[in-house]
Amino acid sequence: LFKAALDDLSPYTTVDSSFGDREGKVRQLCGEIINWYEDYPTFEDAETTKPNSSFTTLHDILQINGEFINKIHRLFHPNMEDIVRFLEERKTEKDRDGLLSFEFVLEQGTEQCRCLTLSNNFKICLANISIDHIAKCNRQHKSKIICGRKSTNGSTERLYFRILTDFAKPKEASDNLISSRHFAGEKNILTDFGVNFDPEWSLPLEEEAKDGFTAAFQLSTHSGYLPRN
């Protein structure tokens, strides 16, 4: 199953060229161990032919704080610090005139959480919706992302990201902010990774509207690591 998971994820690892070498080594070791299991089905035969070096090397590579697992985290298991850092850098890149007031709010219990999704695409998607439009603007605007935890009907807990902006009202926001070809491509990829998207922008809640926001959009993703409450 582990090797099959690597096969499924492999097409999405090209953003980190150094990952390929380690991935190739892991595949090789998994193959050696699988062949051993298939060739020596009895306990007696297995014990005398066990590829100890393959087990040891694979064990070392898969250490929880090792290079390979850290790369897995960076590619498919981003934490909140990763996401916030990316969005702050994106704001600096897109908001050259300092027109956007941007805030990322972590609700209680989410500070140490991780998302289980395609990291780079997910961060780009959040930026597309909440930040990138400022590059086309010539006046002050504001946007805000609120991250929280939600579990419904006993299902696995998910992380939701509520995005508020004052770029436009819901209809215009749906037409201009989430209908582009680029956004559609990101959405299709992320949907395959379990991200759920609102079908369109909606009006903000009363308190959100009082803060000056004109449109709201929400998406959610599978949770990776979740600290106990």
Side-chain angles (χ1 to χ4, degrees):
L1 290 176
F2 176 70
K3 187 171 181 293
L6 277 182
D7 291 339
D8 289 340
L9 295 175
S10 183
Y12 303 99
T13 64
T14 54
V15 293
D16 186 343
S17 58
S18 65
F19 184 81
D21 294 339
R22 265 311 199 207
E23 181 188 8
K25 183 62 175 178
V26 169
R27 287 173 182 275
Q28 174 195 329
L29 295 168
C30 287
E32 292 171 0
I33 294 170
I34 290 170
N35 290 337
W36 167 69
Y37 273 118
E38 292 175 344
D39 292 342
Y40 299 98
T42 67
F43 177 80
E44 292 79 7
D45 289 340
E47 281 301 298
T48 59
T49 59
K50 185 177 181 180
N52 291 313
S53 62
S54 298
F55 275 100
T56 301
T57 305
L58 185 61
H59 174 271
D60 291 344
I61 290 176
L62 298 181
Q63 290 298 302
I64 193 65
N65 292 317
E67 178 186 2
F68 183 78
I69 297 302
N70 283 332
K71 287 184 183 294
I72 290 285
H73 284 319
R74 287 196 290 272
L75 291 169
F76 304 106
H77 198 209
N79 60 27
M80 295 302 139
E81 185 179 346
D82 295 332
I83 293 172
V84 171
R85 184 188 308 111
F86 177 90
L87 293 173
E88 289 176 346
E89 291 173 355
R90 186 73 160 221
K91 179 186 179 303
T92 299
E93 174 191 347
K94 297 292 183 179
D95 184 25
R96 296 185 180 279
D97 296 324
L99 297 176
L100 180 65
S101 173
F102 175 74
E103 185 180 9
F104 191 101
V105 177
L106 293 169
E107 292 188 346
Q108 185 174 0
T110 62
E111 298 88 349
Q112 302 301 317
C113 292
R114 288 179 177 267
C115 301
L116 194 59
T117 188
L118 191 56
S119 177
N120 198 53
N121 295 67
F122 185 71
K123 292 182 287 190
I124 289 172
C125 179
L126 291 177
N128 285 165
I129 301 172
S130 64
I131 293 173
D132 290 358
H133 190 69
I134 195 64
K136 302 177 181 179
C137 300
N138 56 12
R139 66 177 180 85
Q140 295 286 331
H141 283 283
K142 63 192 303 185
S143 65
K144 181 178 184 178
I145 299 178
I146 304 166
C147 176
R149 296 164 62 167
K150 181 179 292 186
S151 179
T152 57
N153 301 324
S155 63
T156 303
E157 193 165 355
R158 294 176 66 88
L159 295 171
Y160 71 83
F161 295 78
R162 181 167 179 79
I163 301 169
L164 303 165
T165 77
D166 72 345
F167 289 134
K169 293 186 176 181
K171 176 62 170 67
E172 184 182 348
S174 291
D175 291 342
N176 296 333
L177 300 184
I178 63 171
S179 62
S180 70
R181 182 181 303 176
H182 183 72
F183 179 82
E186 296 292 347
K187 180 180 178 181
N188 288 338
I189 293 172
L190 289 170
T191 298
D192 289 341
F193 276 81
V195 178
N196 293 337
F197 293 79
D198 276 355
E200 57 186 16
W201 287 78
S202 61
L203 289 170
L205 301 176
E206 182 177 350
E207 289 301 314
E208 296 167 344
K210 287 181 180 178
D211 287 337
F213 297 108
T214 58
F217 188 80
Q218 189 160 303
L219 51 87
S220 68
T221 181
H222 290 302
S223 57
Y225 169 75
L226 289 173
R228 293 181 179 180
N229 290 322

Short mmCIF file of all heavy atoms in Angstrom, two decimals, residues 83-135:
data_model
loop_
_atom_site.label_atom_id
_atom_site.label_comp_id
_atom_site.label_asym_id
_atom_site.label_seq_id
_atom_site.Cartn_x
_atom_site.Cartn_y
_atom_site.Cartn_z
N ILE A 83 1.55 27.98 5.40
CA ILE A 83 0.50 28.67 4.64
C ILE A 83 0.59 30.18 4.85
O ILE A 83 0.54 30.96 3.88
CB ILE A 83 -0.88 28.14 5.05
CG1 ILE A 83 -1.02 26.67 4.60
CG2 ILE A 83 -2.00 28.98 4.43
CD1 ILE A 83 -2.27 25.98 5.12
N VAL A 84 0.72 30.60 6.10
CA VAL A 84 0.78 32.04 6.39
C VAL A 84 2.01 32.67 5.74
O VAL A 84 1.92 33.76 5.16
CB VAL A 84 0.78 32.27 7.91
CG1 VAL A 84 1.06 33.74 8.23
CG2 VAL A 84 -0.56 31.85 8.52
N ARG A 85 3.15 32.00 5.83
CA ARG A 85 4.36 32.54 5.22
C ARG A 85 4.18 32.74 3.72
O ARG A 85 4.57 33.78 3.16
CB ARG A 85 5.54 31.61 5.50
CG ARG A 85 6.88 32.17 4.98
CD ARG A 85 8.00 31.16 5.07
NE ARG A 85 8.13 30.59 6.40
CZ ARG A 85 7.86 29.33 6.71
NH1 ARG A 85 7.44 28.48 5.77
NH2 ARG A 85 8.00 28.89 7.95
N PHE A 86 3.60 31.73 3.05
CA PHE A 86 3.39 31.85 1.61
C PHE A 86 2.48 33.03 1.29
O PHE A 86 2.75 33.81 0.36
CB PHE A 86 2.77 30.56 1.08
CG PHE A 86 2.45 30.60 -0.39
CD1 PHE A 86 3.39 30.19 -1.33
CD2 PHE A 86 1.21 31.06 -0.85
CE1 PHE A 86 3.10 30.24 -2.69
CE2 PHE A 86 0.92 31.11 -2.20
CZ PHE A 86 1.87 30.70 -3.12
N LEU A 87 1.39 33.19 2.03
CA LEU A 87 0.43 34.26 1.74
C LEU A 87 1.04 35.63 2.00
O LEU A 87 0.78 36.58 1.25
CB LEU A 87 -0.83 34.06 2.56
CG LEU A 87 -1.67 32.82 2.19
CD1 LEU A 87 -2.81 32.63 3.17
CD2 LEU A 87 -2.20 32.92 0.76
N GLU A 88 1.85 35.74 3.02
CA GLU A 88 2.51 37.03 3.29
C GLU A 88 3.48 37.38 2.16
O GLU A 88 3.56 38.54 1.74
CB GLU A 88 3.23 36.97 4.63
CG GLU A 88 2.28 36.95 5.82
CD GLU A 88 3.00 36.78 7.15
OE1 GLU A 88 4.21 36.41 7.11
OE2 GLU A 88 2.39 37.03 8.20
N GLU A 89 4.22 36.38 1.68
CA GLU A 89 5.13 36.63 0.56
C GLU A 89 4.36 36.97 -0.71
O GLU A 89 4.77 37.84 -1.49
CB GLU A 89 6.00 35.39 0.33
CG GLU A 89 7.00 35.15 1.45
CD GLU A 89 7.75 33.83 1.30
OE1 GLU A 89 7.41 33.07 0.36
OE2 GLU A 89 8.68 33.58 2.10
N ARG A 90 3.22 36.32 -0.90
CA ARG A 90 2.40 36.60 -2.08
C ARG A 90 1.84 38.03 -2.02
O ARG A 90 1.79 38.73 -3.04
CB ARG A 90 1.24 35.59 -2.15
CG ARG A 90 0.39 35.69 -3.40
CD ARG A 90 1.12 35.15 -4.61
NE ARG A 90 0.17 34.82 -5.67
CZ ARG A 90 0.25 33.74 -6.43
NH1 ARG A 90 1.26 32.90 -6.27
NH2 ARG A 90 -0.64 33.50 -7.36
N LYS A 91 1.43 38.46 -0.85
CA LYS A 91 0.93 39.83 -0.71
C LYS A 91 2.02 40.84 -1.05
O LYS A 91 1.78 41.83 -1.75
CB LYS A 91 0.43 40.08 0.72
CG LYS A 91 -0.09 41.50 0.91
CD LYS A 91 -0.46 41.77 2.35
CE LYS A 91 -0.96 43.19 2.53
NZ LYS A 91 0.01 44.22 2.09
N THR A 92 3.23 40.60 -0.57
CA THR A 92 4.35 41.49 -0.88
C THR A 92 4.58 41.55 -2.39
O THR A 92 4.83 42.64 -2.95
CB THR A 92 5.63 41.01 -0.18
OG1 THR A 92 5.41 41.02 1.24
CG2 THR A 92 6.81 41.90 -0.52
N GLU A 93 4.46 40.41 -3.06
CA GLU A 93 4.68 40.34 -4.50
C GLU A 93 3.59 41.06 -5.29
O GLU A 93 3.88 41.81 -6.23
CB GLU A 93 4.73 38.87 -4.93
CG GLU A 93 4.82 38.67 -6.43
CD GLU A 93 4.60 37.22 -6.83
OE1 GLU A 93 4.62 36.34 -5.94
OE2 GLU A 93 4.40 36.97 -8.04
N LYS A 94 2.33 40.88 -4.91
CA LYS A 94 1.21 41.40 -5.69
C LYS A 94 0.79 42.81 -5.28
O LYS A 94 0.30 43.58 -6.10
CB LYS A 94 0.00 40.47 -5.55
CG LYS A 94 0.21 39.06 -6.08
CD LYS A 94 0.35 39.05 -7.58
CE LYS A 94 0.48 37.64 -8.12
NZ LYS A 94 0.59 37.61 -9.61
N ASP A 95 0.98 43.15 -4.02
CA ASP A 95 0.49 44.42 -3.49
C ASP A 95 1.64 45.42 -3.38
O ASP A 95 2.02 45.86 -2.29
CB ASP A 95 -0.16 44.18 -2.12
CG ASP A 95 -0.79 45.43 -1.54
OD1 ASP A 95 -1.16 46.34 -2.32
OD2 ASP A 95 -0.89 45.51 -0.30
N ARG A 96 2.19 45.80 -4.50
CA ARG A 96 3.37 46.67 -4.51
C ARG A 96 3.08 48.08 -4.00
O ARG A 96 3.98 48.77 -3.53
CB ARG A 96 3.96 46.73 -5.92
CG ARG A 96 4.47 45.37 -6.41
CD ARG A 96 5.17 45.48 -7.75
NE ARG A 96 5.66 44.19 -8.22
CZ ARG A 96 6.78 43.61 -7.83
NH1 ARG A 96 7.56 44.23 -6.96
NH2 ARG A 96 7.14 42.44 -8.29
N ASP A 97 1.83 48.50 -4.07
CA ASP A 97 1.48 49.85 -3.62
C ASP A 97 0.90 49.87 -2.22
O ASP A 97 0.46 50.92 -1.74
CB ASP A 97 0.48 50.48 -4.60
CG ASP A 97 1.08 50.69 -5.98
OD1 ASP A 97 2.28 51.00 -6.05
OD2 ASP A 97 0.35 50.51 -6.98
N GLY A 98 0.88 48.72 -1.55
CA GLY A 98 0.39 48.67 -0.17
C GLY A 98 -1.09 48.98 -0.03
O GLY A 98 -1.51 49.61 0.96
N LEU A 99 -1.89 48.53 -0.99
CA LEU A 99 -3.31 48.85 -0.99
C LEU A 99 -4.17 47.83 -0.24
O LEU A 99 -5.34 48.09 0.04
CB LEU A 99 -3.83 48.96 -2.43
CG LEU A 99 -3.21 50.06 -3.29
CD1 LEU A 99 -3.75 49.97 -4.72
CD2 LEU A 99 -3.54 51.42 -2.69
N LEU A 100 -3.61 46.66 0.07
CA LEU A 100 -4.42 45.59 0.64
C LEU A 100 -4.13 45.39 2.13
O LEU A 100 -2.98 45.20 2.53
CB LEU A 100 -4.14 44.27 -0.09
CG LEU A 100 -4.94 43.04 0.40
CD1 LEU A 100 -6.43 43.23 0.15
CD2 LEU A 100 -4.44 41.76 -0.27
N SER A 101 -5.18 45.44 2.92
CA SER A 101 -5.10 45.05 4.32
C SER A 101 -5.50 43.57 4.40
O SER A 101 -6.65 43.22 4.15
CB SER A 101 -6.06 45.90 5.17
OG SER A 101 -6.10 45.41 6.49
N PHE A 102 -4.53 42.71 4.71
CA PHE A 102 -4.77 41.27 4.70
C PHE A 102 -4.55 40.69 6.09
O PHE A 102 -3.57 41.01 6.76
CB PHE A 102 -3.83 40.58 3.71
CG PHE A 102 -3.93 39.07 3.73
CD1 PHE A 102 -5.02 38.44 3.19
CD2 PHE A 102 -2.93 38.31 4.31
CE1 PHE A 102 -5.13 37.05 3.22
CE2 PHE A 102 -3.01 36.93 4.35
CZ PHE A 102 -4.13 36.30 3.80
N GLU A 103 -5.46 39.80 6.50
CA GLU A 103 -5.38 39.19 7.82
C GLU A 103 -5.68 37.70 7.71
O GLU A 103 -6.61 37.30 7.01
CB GLU A 103 -6.39 39.86 8.76
CG GLU A 103 -6.31 39.38 10.19
CD GLU A 103 -7.33 40.07 11.09
OE1 GLU A 103 -8.19 40.80 10.56
OE2 GLU A 103 -7.25 39.88 12.32
N PHE A 104 -4.89 36.89 8.39
CA PHE A 104 -5.11 35.44 8.46
C PHE A 104 -5.34 35.10 9.93
O PHE A 104 -4.46 35.32 10.77
CB PHE A 104 -3.91 34.68 7.92
CG PHE A 104 -4.14 33.21 7.71
CD1 PHE A 104 -4.41 32.69 6.46
CD2 PHE A 104 -4.09 32.32 8.79
CE1 PHE A 104 -4.62 31.33 6.27
CE2 PHE A 104 -4.31 30.97 8.62
CZ PHE A 104 -4.58 30.46 7.36
N VAL A 105 -6.52 34.58 10.24
CA VAL A 105 -6.91 34.33 11.63
C VAL A 105 -7.03 32.83 11.87
O VAL A 105 -7.72 32.11 11.13
CB VAL A 105 -8.27 35.00 11.96
CG1 VAL A 105 -8.70 34.67 13.38
CG2 VAL A 105 -8.17 36.51 11.75
N LEU A 106 -6.34 32.36 12.90
CA LEU A 106 -6.42 30.96 13.30
C LEU A 106 -7.33 30.85 14.51
O LEU A 106 -7.06 31.43 15.56
CB LEU A 106 -5.03 30.42 13.65
CG LEU A 106 -4.04 30.31 12.51
CD1 LEU A 106 -2.64 30.02 13.06
CD2 LEU A 106 -4.45 29.21 11.54
N GLU A 107 -8.45 30.12 14.35
CA GLU A 107 -9.31 29.91 15.49
C GLU A 107 -8.63 29.00 16.51
O GLU A 107 -7.70 28.26 16.17
CB GLU A 107 -10.64 29.31 15.04
CG GLU A 107 -11.47 30.27 14.21
CD GLU A 107 -12.87 29.75 13.94
OE1 GLU A 107 -13.11 28.53 14.15
OE2 GLU A 107 -13.72 30.54 13.50
N GLN A 108 -9.07 29.05 17.74
CA GLN A 108 -8.45 28.27 18.80
C GLN A 108 -8.43 26.78 18.44
O GLN A 108 -9.43 26.22 18.00
CB GLN A 108 -9.20 28.47 20.11
CG GLN A 108 -8.53 27.79 21.30
CD GLN A 108 -9.23 28.11 22.61
OE1 GLN A 108 -10.20 28.85 22.64
NE2 GLN A 108 -8.72 27.57 23.70
N GLY A 109 -7.27 26.16 18.61
CA GLY A 109 -7.13 24.74 18.33
C GLY A 109 -6.62 24.42 16.94
O GLY A 109 -6.42 23.25 16.61
N THR A 110 -6.38 25.44 16.12
CA THR A 110 -5.89 25.19 14.77
C THR A 110 -4.41 25.53 14.60
O THR A 110 -3.83 25.23 13.55
CB THR A 110 -6.68 26.02 13.73
OG1 THR A 110 -6.48 27.42 13.99
CG2 THR A 110 -8.17 25.71 13.78
N GLU A 111 -3.81 26.13 15.60
CA GLU A 111 -2.45 26.64 15.45
C GLU A 111 -1.44 25.56 15.04
O GLU A 111 -0.52 25.82 14.27
CB GLU A 111 -1.98 27.30 16.76
CG GLU A 111 -2.79 28.51 17.18
CD GLU A 111 -3.99 28.14 18.04
OE1 GLU A 111 -4.31 26.94 18.13
OE2 GLU A 111 -4.60 29.05 18.62
N GLN A 112 -1.61 24.35 15.56
CA GLN A 112 -0.67 23.27 15.28
C GLN A 112 -1.17 22.29 14.23
O GLN A 112 -0.55 21.25 14.00
CB GLN A 112 -0.37 22.51 16.58
CG GLN A 112 0.19 23.36 17.71
CD GLN A 112 1.48 24.06 17.31
OE1 GLN A 112 2.35 23.45 16.69
NE2 GLN A 112 1.60 25.33 17.66
N CYS A 113 -2.28 22.62 13.58
CA CYS A 113 -2.89 21.69 12.61
C CYS A 113 -2.14 21.70 11.28
O CYS A 113 -1.44 22.65 10.94
CB CYS A 113 -4.34 22.06 12.36
SG CYS A 113 -5.42 21.81 13.78
N ARG A 114 -2.33 20.63 10.55
CA ARG A 114 -1.81 20.52 9.20
C ARG A 114 -2.93 20.14 8.24
O ARG A 114 -3.86 19.43 8.62
CB ARG A 114 -0.71 19.45 9.11
CG ARG A 114 0.62 19.83 9.76
CD ARG A 114 1.62 18.71 9.65
NE ARG A 114 2.92 19.03 10.19
CZ ARG A 114 3.93 19.52 9.48
NH1 ARG A 114 3.78 19.73 8.18
NH2 ARG A 114 5.10 19.77 10.04
N CYS A 115 -2.84 20.61 7.01
CA CYS A 115 -3.77 20.20 5.95
C CYS A 115 -3.22 18.98 5.24
O CYS A 115 -2.01 18.83 5.08
CB CYS A 115 -3.95 21.32 4.93
SG CYS A 115 -4.56 22.86 5.61
N LEU A 116 -4.12 18.12 4.79
CA LEU A 116 -3.71 16.95 4.02
C LEU A 116 -4.15 17.19 2.58
O LEU A 116 -5.26 16.84 2.17
CB LEU A 116 -4.35 15.69 4.60
CG LEU A 116 -3.79 14.34 4.12
CD1 LEU A 116 -2.31 14.22 4.43
CD2 LEU A 116 -4.56 13.19 4.76
N THR A 117 -3.28 17.82 1.80
CA THR A 117 -3.62 18.18 0.43
C THR A 117 -2.34 18.51 -0.33
O THR A 117 -1.23 18.42 0.20
CB THR A 117 -4.58 19.39 0.43
OG1 THR A 117 -5.06 19.63 -0.90
CG2 THR A 117 -3.89 20.65 0.94
N LEU A 118 -2.50 18.89 -1.57
CA LEU A 118 -1.36 19.25 -2.40
C LEU A 118 -0.94 20.67 -2.01
O LEU A 118 -1.59 21.65 -2.37
CB LEU A 118 -1.76 19.17 -3.88
CG LEU A 118 -0.65 19.27 -4.92
CD1 LEU A 118 0.43 18.23 -4.69
CD2 LEU A 118 -1.24 19.11 -6.31
N SER A 119 0.15 20.79 -1.28
CA SER A 119 0.48 22.00 -0.55
C SER A 119 0.59 23.24 -1.44
O SER A 119 -0.08 24.24 -1.21
CB SER A 119 1.81 21.79 0.19
OG SER A 119 2.20 22.97 0.86
N ASN A 120 1.43 23.19 -2.46
CA ASN A 120 1.69 24.39 -3.26
C ASN A 120 0.44 24.86 -3.97
O ASN A 120 0.13 26.05 -4.00
CB ASN A 120 2.81 24.12 -4.27
CG ASN A 120 3.41 25.40 -4.81
OD1 ASN A 120 3.83 26.27 -4.05
ND2 ASN A 120 3.44 25.52 -6.13
N ASN A 121 -0.32 23.93 -4.55
CA ASN A 121 -1.55 24.30 -5.26
C ASN A 121 -2.58 24.89 -4.30
O ASN A 121 -3.30 25.83 -4.65
CB ASN A 121 -2.13 23.08 -5.97
CG ASN A 121 -1.23 22.57 -7.07
OD1 ASN A 121 -0.14 22.07 -6.79
ND2 ASN A 121 -1.64 22.67 -8.31
N PHE A 122 -2.65 24.33 -3.11
CA PHE A 122 -3.62 24.84 -2.13
C PHE A 122 -3.28 26.27 -1.71
O PHE A 122 -4.16 27.14 -1.64
CB PHE A 122 -3.65 23.92 -0.91
CG PHE A 122 -4.69 24.29 0.10
CD1 PHE A 122 -6.03 24.09 -0.16
CD2 PHE A 122 -4.32 24.84 1.32
CE1 PHE A 122 -7.01 24.43 0.77
CE2 PHE A 122 -5.28 25.19 2.26
CZ PHE A 122 -6.63 24.98 1.99
N LYS A 123 -2.01 26.53 -1.47
CA LYS A 123 -1.61 27.87 -1.07
C LYS A 123 -1.83 28.87 -2.21
O LYS A 123 -2.27 30.01 -1.97
CB LYS A 123 -0.14 27.86 -0.63
CG LYS A 123 0.07 27.10 0.68
CD LYS A 123 1.52 27.12 1.15
CE LYS A 123 2.42 26.25 0.34
NZ LYS A 123 3.78 26.09 0.94
N ILE A 124 -1.54 28.46 -3.43
CA ILE A 124 -1.79 29.32 -4.58
C ILE A 124 -3.28 29.62 -4.72
O ILE A 124 -3.68 30.75 -5.02
CB ILE A 124 -1.24 28.67 -5.87
CG1 ILE A 124 0.28 28.68 -5.85
CG2 ILE A 124 -1.77 29.39 -7.11
CD1 ILE A 124 0.92 27.90 -6.99
N CYS A 125 -4.11 28.61 -4.48
CA CYS A 125 -5.56 28.79 -4.57
C CYS A 125 -6.03 29.83 -3.55
O CYS A 125 -6.82 30.73 -3.90
CB CYS A 125 -6.26 27.45 -4.34
SG CYS A 125 -8.05 27.55 -4.40
N LEU A 126 -5.58 29.73 -2.32
CA LEU A 126 -5.96 30.73 -1.32
C LEU A 126 -5.52 32.13 -1.74
O LEU A 126 -6.26 33.10 -1.56
CB LEU A 126 -5.32 30.37 0.03
CG LEU A 126 -5.85 29.13 0.76
CD1 LEU A 126 -5.05 28.90 2.04
CD2 LEU A 126 -7.34 29.25 1.06
N ALA A 127 -4.33 32.22 -2.29
CA ALA A 127 -3.83 33.53 -2.74
C ALA A 127 -4.64 34.06 -3.91
O ALA A 127 -4.93 35.26 -3.98
CB ALA A 127 -2.35 33.41 -3.12
N ASN A 128 -4.99 33.18 -4.86
CA ASN A 128 -5.81 33.61 -6.00
C ASN A 128 -7.09 34.29 -5.54
O ASN A 128 -7.52 35.30 -6.10
CB ASN A 128 -6.19 32.40 -6.85
CG ASN A 128 -5.06 31.86 -7.70
OD1 ASN A 128 -5.15 30.75 -8.21
ND2 ASN A 128 -3.99 32.61 -7.86
N ILE A 129 -7.71 33.73 -4.50
CA ILE A 129 -9.02 34.21 -4.07
C ILE A 129 -8.90 35.46 -3.19
O ILE A 129 -9.71 36.38 -3.30
CB ILE A 129 -9.77 33.11 -3.29
CG1 ILE A 129 -9.94 31.87 -4.18
CG2 ILE A 129 -11.13 33.60 -2.82
CD1 ILE A 129 -10.49 30.66 -3.44
N SER A 130 -7.90 35.49 -2.33
CA SER A 130 -7.87 36.53 -1.29
C SER A 130 -6.91 37.68 -1.56
O SER A 130 -7.06 38.76 -0.97
CB SER A 130 -7.51 35.89 0.06
OG SER A 130 -6.21 35.35 0.02
N ILE A 131 -5.91 37.48 -2.44
CA ILE A 131 -4.84 38.47 -2.57
C ILE A 131 -4.63 38.97 -4.00
O ILE A 131 -4.51 40.18 -4.23
CB ILE A 131 -3.51 37.88 -2.04
CG1 ILE A 131 -3.60 37.66 -0.52
CG2 ILE A 131 -2.32 38.79 -2.37
CD1 ILE A 131 -2.40 36.93 0.06
N ASP A 132 -4.58 38.06 -4.95
CA ASP A 132 -4.06 38.39 -6.28
C ASP A 132 -4.81 39.52 -6.99
O ASP A 132 -4.22 40.27 -7.77
CB ASP A 132 -4.07 37.15 -7.18
CG ASP A 132 -3.03 36.12 -6.73
OD1 ASP A 132 -2.30 36.41 -5.76
OD2 ASP A 132 -2.96 35.05 -7.35
N HIS A 133 -6.12 39.67 -6.71
CA HIS A 133 -6.91 40.69 -7.41
C HIS A 133 -6.43 42.11 -7.09
O HIS A 133 -6.69 43.03 -7.88
CB HIS A 133 -8.38 40.54 -7.03
CG HIS A 133 -9.30 41.39 -7.87
ND1 HIS A 133 -9.53 41.15 -9.21
CD2 HIS A 133 -10.04 42.50 -7.55
CE1 HIS A 133 -10.36 42.05 -9.68
NE2 HIS A 133 -10.69 42.89 -8.71
N ILE A 134 -5.70 42.28 -6.01
CA ILE A 134 -5.25 43.63 -5.65
C ILE A 134 -4.32 44.20 -6.71
O ILE A 134 -4.22 45.43 -6.86
CB ILE A 134 -4.54 43.61 -4.27
CG1 ILE A 134 -4.40 45.04 -3.72
CG2 ILE A 134 -3.19 42.93 -4.34
CD1 ILE A 134 -5.73 45.71 -3.43
N ALA A 135 -3.68 43.36 -7.49
CA ALA A 135 -2.77 43.85 -8.53
C ALA A 135 -3.51 44.63 -9.61
O ALA A 135 -2.91 45.40 -10.36
CB ALA A 135 -2.03 42.66 -9.16
#
